[in-house]
């Protein structure tokens, strides 16, 4: 089920027009900036891929992101200029299943060095309730039901990958696996600078290992293990650190929750001693506020890191993930 059908089409059309205007302006400035000399021309699909390309590529790459800051990546439509720029790239880094328009354009681009981050780690199925304790290998257990539950809990249609959850970058361990794969692929694409790519990869993996340790330590002893979110993007993070994510299922992040779901969340919150409904930076906080008012819960921001804007609680991936940890510790009552 494609939950986006629940959003009024006029709203979508308006958002697309706004997004395209912003994106064409962005790509024009990128093109004007074209004095990149002999740098490797890298196209990244959205922020988590851009961050890896910039950190690992360093001074040897010129990175263009297809998703402008502040644009919701899942619903991105590409301009003809952007589609052309993909074909002219030396190297393309994307994550299949997040952005259907990007997947299609890349398939048709004929670029030799094309890397799908989803192939560099293992993807799993996550429903709108995911826990580190009861989440075994869900391929068989979830079946069609799991696919439906994930699609609804997330408010996005993630392609036909059997309901696999693409939000791998929110688990620092999986993101480090992807970083290693990106490093190796850049070494192959540009062997002249292989030593630098290797060194940059090792430095970034070291930072991600530190981040993982901070999460492990910071979330080990908490009053509750359950957090409630309007965007069910945190399945991998929940699983990694033994938490349970309760997504507000069956609705788009911008829509009002049904009275039945409010009651259900209220019951879960009471049973699990959950304190906070989290919303994200790129979507409205209306759902979270409605739920909080009706259930006596607090609201907070948990950033799915699909883009960095002025509203982000940090300047890059590492800083925002540290802010997310602080928010989770507060909500879960870390001791």
């Amino acid at each position: 089920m494609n939950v986006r059908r629940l959003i009024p089409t006029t709203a979508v059309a308006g958002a697309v027009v706004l997004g395209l205007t912003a994106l064409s302006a962005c790509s024009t400035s990128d093109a004007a900036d074209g004095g990149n000399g002999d740098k490797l021309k890298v196209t990244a699909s959205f922020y988590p891929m851009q961050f890896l390309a910039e950190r690992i590529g360093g001074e040897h790459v010129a990175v263009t992101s297809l998703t402008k800051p502040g644009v919701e990546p899942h619903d991105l439509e590409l301009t003809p200029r952007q589609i052309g720029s993909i074909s002219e790239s030396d190297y393309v880094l994307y994550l299949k299943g997040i952005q259907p328009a990007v997947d299609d354009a890349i398939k048709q681009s004929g670029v030799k060095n094309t890397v799908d981050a989803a192939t560099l780690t293992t993807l799993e199925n996550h429903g709108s309730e995911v826990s580190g304790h009861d989440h075994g290998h869900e391929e068989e257990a979830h079946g069609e039901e799991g696919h439906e539950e994930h699609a609804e809990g997330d408010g996005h249609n993630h392609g036909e990958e059997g309901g696999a959850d693409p939000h791998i970058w929110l688990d620092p361990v999986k993101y480090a696996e992807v970083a290693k794969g990106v490093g190796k692929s850049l070494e192959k694409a540009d062997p002249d600078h292989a030593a630098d790519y290797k060194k940059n990869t090792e430095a970034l993996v070291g930072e991600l290992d530190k981040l993982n340790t901070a999460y492990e330590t910071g979330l080990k002893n908490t009053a509750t293990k359950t957090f409630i979110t309007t965007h069910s993007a945190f399945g991998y993070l929940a699983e990694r650190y033994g938490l349970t994510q309760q997504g507000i299922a069956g609705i788009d992040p911008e829509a009002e929750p049904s009275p039945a779901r409010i009651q259900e969340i209220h019951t879960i919150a009471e049973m699990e001693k959950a304190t906070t409904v989290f919303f994200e930076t790129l979507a409205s906080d209306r759902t979270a506020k409605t739920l909080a008012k009706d259930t006596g819960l607090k609201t907070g921001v948990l950033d799915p890191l699909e883009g960095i804007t002025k509203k982000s609680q940090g300047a890059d991936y590492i800083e925002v993930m540290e802010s997310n940890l602080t928010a989770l510790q507060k909500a879960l009552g870390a001791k």
Side-chain angles (χ1 to χ4, degrees):
M1 168 184 168
N2 185 348
V3 183
R4 273 180 295 179
R5 280 192 218 122
L6 300 174
I7 314 169
T9 46
T10 47
V12 173
V16 167
V17 170
L18 281 171
L20 288 180
T21 315
L23 281 165
S24 51
C26 164
S27 49
T28 313
S29 62
D30 287 345
D33 204 9
N36 295 320
D38 55 356
K39 286 188 180 187
L40 197 72
K41 273 195 221 153
V42 175
T43 296
S45 56
F46 73 133
Y47 179 71
M49 301 299 104
Q50 178 192 344
F51 179 76
L52 290 180
E54 287 173 348
R55 288 295 302 270
I56 295 168
E59 63 185 13
H60 306 302
V61 299
V63 182
T64 303
S65 176
L66 294 171
T67 310
K68 188 178 182 292
V71 172
E72 220 294 333
H74 298 269
D75 303 323
L76 178 72
E77 298 294 337
L78 297 174
T79 63
R81 184 191 286 273
Q82 285 180 300
I83 293 168
S85 78
I86 295 172
S87 306
E88 289 159 19
S89 306
D90 300 314
Y91 178 100
V92 176
L93 180 60
Y94 76 115
L95 179 56
K96 192 176 178 187
I98 281 273
Q99 299 170 290
V102 173
D103 296 351
D104 292 344
I106 287 169
K107 203 185 290 178
Q108 290 160 28
S109 71
V111 175
K112 188 179 85 166
N113 294 306
T114 298
V115 178
D116 170 13
T119 63
L120 303 175
T121 183
T122 48
L123 265 65
E124 290 157 32
N125 288 25
H126 293 137
S128 54
E129 177 186 353
V130 176
S131 133
H133 306 298
D134 60 14
H135 175 88
H137 288 284
E138 291 178 311
E139 263 65 18
E140 295 80 30
H142 260 55
E144 279 306 303
E145 187 192 337
H147 188 178
E148 186 74 2
E149 189 191 3
H150 171 69
E152 291 192 351
D154 197 355
H156 301 298
N157 175 18
H158 285 311
E160 305 306 319
E161 305 300 308
D165 179 356
H167 298 88
I168 46 178
W169 66 92
L170 290 164
D171 171 353
V173 177
K174 283 196 177 292
Y175 199 45
E177 283 173 14
V178 174
K180 286 174 190 169
V182 169
K184 286 198 178 100
S185 65
L186 277 170
E187 286 175 44
K188 274 190 196 148
D190 182 17
D192 289 354
H193 301 115
D196 284 351
Y197 296 142
K198 199 181 182 69
K199 191 178 73 185
N200 293 346
T201 302
E202 282 167 8
L204 179 57
V205 167
E207 282 186 62
L208 293 171
D209 287 349
K210 256 192 226 162
L211 187 66
N212 174 47
T213 305
Y215 265 79
E216 271 180 350
T217 313
L219 298 172
K220 195 170 278 176
N221 298 310
T222 54
T224 178
K225 295 287 179 195
T226 300
F227 63 96
I228 299 159
T229 174
T230 53
H231 182 179
S232 303
F234 300 91
Y236 290 106
L237 187 149
E239 185 182 19
R240 176 69 57 197
Y241 305 111
L243 308 176
T244 301
Q245 165 184 251
Q246 280 287 350
I248 302 166
I251 55 166
D252 179 83
E254 304 275 352
E256 298 291 344
S258 69
R261 184 56 179 162
I262 287 176
Q263 188 50 53
E264 205 179 337
I265 291 285
H266 190 46
T267 307
I268 290 164
E270 279 186 348
M271 280 171 57
E272 304 294 337
K273 298 185 171 56
T275 63
T276 307
V277 182
F278 286 114
F279 60 94
E280 57 174 295
T281 42
L282 294 184
S284 159
D285 62 358
R286 195 175 63 209
T287 301
K289 283 192 168 148
T290 302
L291 248 177
K293 201 173 98 192
D294 293 347
T295 55
L297 297 168
K298 296 175 194 146
T299 57
V301 173
L302 205 56
D303 193 331
L305 263 157
E306 292 176 345
I308 294 279
T309 68
K310 284 176 184 160
K311 288 183 184 171
S312 301
Q313 306 287 306
D316 65 9
Y317 171 87
I318 303 283
E319 288 185 7
V320 175
M321 281 294 280
E322 287 168 348
S323 296
N324 278 349
L325 173 56
T326 304
L328 278 168
Q329 285 176 300
K330 189 176 167 191
L332 299 172
K335 297 180 178 79

